[in-house]
Amino acid sequence: MMALAAASKRYQFDGFVTYTCAQNKHPGVRHLYEWKESKDWMDGLPGVTKIRDDEVREIETSFEMAYSNILSRCWLEVQTIWIEFIMRTTTSMLPKAQYALFRKEYQEDSGNLSHLHALLSFDRGAYSNEEFMMFLSELQKNSVVDLMDPQLRDEFIKSGLVRDYTDWDDMEQTAYTVLSHTCASKRCLVKTGPRDEDCYCKKQHPVLGRDDALAHEWKKIPVTFSQTALNILEATGHYIPPSDLSKEGYFTHEMFDPRRHIGSCNPSARENMSPVVAEHFAATRSMQNFQIVCGTNGVTRYVVKVSIHFVSLSVL
């Protein structure tokens, strides 16, 4: 973790992205899902029309177990191809990736496919830091209305990401289904008391509770420093203690003033949508989460977790 944080001094990360797989929608695996659900594979079983219902259920369970192995292998291949695309494409809406760290993670409470975390550093070209952050922020879509831009529709149809208008409509329905945040897993809930209802969701809504949903915000992340740490930072010139000019004191380096980006969103949106890059969602049709970062800050700790399980890291 410390090495990754130190590396950000030289290779500044710009995006933190999570990619998942919706088996019935992702173009890399949905052919397997459709074959399983069709039950056409049962037609080749001898005497299938004469077997009992309990035998049918046993056969379906066996097929499900065999399917999971093929699905996992196929998904690992798809992830590899997707990583290659991110790192080597020159035609993406996103700038060319220079450096990246990828981490595959499995949820502890469900037997499902791994999802992919990515820390990405992009080629900024002639952009200044502020200009680049704004350019990247504008690529982030925080509502289905923003995502389903008619101008993008024609562009995606031309490039082959979307087949036709019918596929575009299907993509819209998929967005509402897979991108809208729910608290079903309860991993997002923060406890505030002893009762089950004493909690709140830490996933901030892109519209509700904001003064101006159309604005890009860099919200301050609350961090508590010990007095000893403040004394050391003051001695090194990184902290200015409270005075008549600043009653709360302030830090002179952005590393000690971490902020979280809250993106622009259509004010009419009511779905609590995970932010996405339109091009990547059109290609994967699965839940993803695209966050703008300015330094690793808390992201480093999230990506490089201390775990009793073996974790594989891929650095390109």
Side-chain angles (χ1 to χ4, degrees):
M1 183 175 74
M2 298 302 294
L4 182 58
S8 67
K9 178 67 175 178
R10 181 173 180 182
Y11 305 117
Q12 181 170 329
F13 294 107
D14 306 302
F16 177 51
V17 199
T18 299
Y19 299 103
T20 69
C21 177
Q23 297 178 31
N24 63 333
K25 293 294 183 180
H26 199 294
V29 302
R30 68 184 177 209
H31 61 290
L32 298 175
Y33 180 86
E34 291 169 355
W35 173 246
K36 182 194 71 165
E37 292 297 306
S38 72
K39 304 293 176 58
D40 291 343
W41 49 269
M42 294 189 69
D43 295 341
L45 299 177
V48 68
T49 59
K50 300 178 181 180
I51 59 178
R52 302 188 308 270
D53 289 345
D54 61 317
E55 292 177 318
V56 172
R57 289 193 293 271
E58 183 177 353
I59 291 173
E60 290 177 344
T61 299
S62 298
F63 188 90
E64 186 75 38
M65 295 173 66
Y67 162 80
S68 64
N69 290 324
I70 300 299
L71 175 67
S72 297
R73 173 57 189 271
C74 184
W75 175 236
L76 291 175
E77 295 286 352
V78 169
Q79 283 182 320
T80 300
I81 294 172
W82 185 245
I83 289 173
E84 288 289 320
F85 166 76
I86 291 174
M87 295 304 300
R88 306 191 188 285
T89 181
T90 58
T91 60
S92 174
M93 298 174 68
L94 287 170
K96 180 174 175 53
Q98 290 185 307
Y99 309 98
L101 181 141
F102 296 93
R103 179 184 190 270
K104 297 172 184 177
E105 181 178 350
Y106 294 85
Q107 297 293 356
E108 296 179 357
D109 54 356
S110 62
N112 212 324
L113 297 173
S114 64
H115 54 269
L116 184 68
H117 292 306
L119 266 175
L120 303 173
S121 175
F122 298 112
D123 183 358
R124 300 189 172 207
Y127 284 118
S128 66
N129 184 63
E130 292 184 358
E131 291 172 339
F132 185 77
M133 285 294 102
M134 184 56 64
F135 166 74
L136 209 58
S137 298
E138 290 295 332
L139 292 178
Q140 184 193 65
K141 305 301 180 183
N142 291 280
S143 73
V144 176
V145 173
D146 293 324
L147 174 64
M148 307 307 294
D149 185 339
Q151 184 174 346
L152 289 177
R153 176 193 61 195
D154 298 334
E155 179 181 333
F156 287 172
I157 290 177
K158 183 178 180 180
S159 66
L161 279 174
V162 176
R163 289 192 303 274
D164 48 32
Y165 285 4
T166 300
D167 190 33
W168 178 260
D169 293 339
D170 180 74
M171 174 177 154
E172 180 177 8
Q173 294 305 312
T174 300
Y176 277 114
T177 301
V178 305
L179 294 180
S180 296
H181 176 75
T182 67
C183 300
S185 68
K186 297 185 178 181
R187 287 190 297 269
C188 60
L189 299 180
V190 178
K191 292 288 291 182
T192 58
R195 300 176 302 172
D196 290 341
E197 60 268 28
D198 294 336
C199 58
Y200 69 92
C201 178
K202 61 184 178 182
K203 167 70 171 69
Q204 179 168 336
H205 197 283
V207 173
L208 303 182
R210 297 180 63 186
D211 295 331
D212 184 5
L214 291 173
H216 289 282
E217 296 181 55
W218 295 91
K219 191 174 182 179
K220 186 178 179 64
I221 300 176
V223 178
T224 301
F225 292 86
S226 68
Q227 188 58 51
T228 300
L230 292 177
N231 292 340
I232 294 173
L233 292 172
E234 181 183 359
T236 58
H238 292 98
Y239 175 67
I240 306 301
S243 64
D244 294 337
L245 298 177
S246 177
K247 295 182 180 181
E248 297 182 354
Y250 62 93
F251 296 98
T252 60
H253 195 287
E254 61 182 10
M255 179 181 293
F256 303 106
D257 187 28
R259 296 178 182 270
R260 179 182 179 184
H261 172 256
I262 308 297
S264 172
C265 183
N266 189 298
S268 66
R270 288 299 173 264
E271 69 277 7
N272 193 356
M273 193 181 103
S274 296
V276 300
V277 175
E279 178 190 50
H280 286 193
F281 179 72
T284 63
R285 308 296 173 95
S286 301
M287 198 289 290
Q288 60 182 249
N289 192 322
F290 180 77
Q291 300 288 343
I292 311 297
V293 297
C294 188
T296 51
N297 294 331
V299 175
T300 300
R301 180 173 297 179
Y302 184 81
V303 174
V304 191
K305 293 179 180 177
V306 177
S307 173
I308 61 174
H309 305 290
F310 175 77
V311 175
S312 174
L313 296 178
S314 300
V315 183
L316 297 181

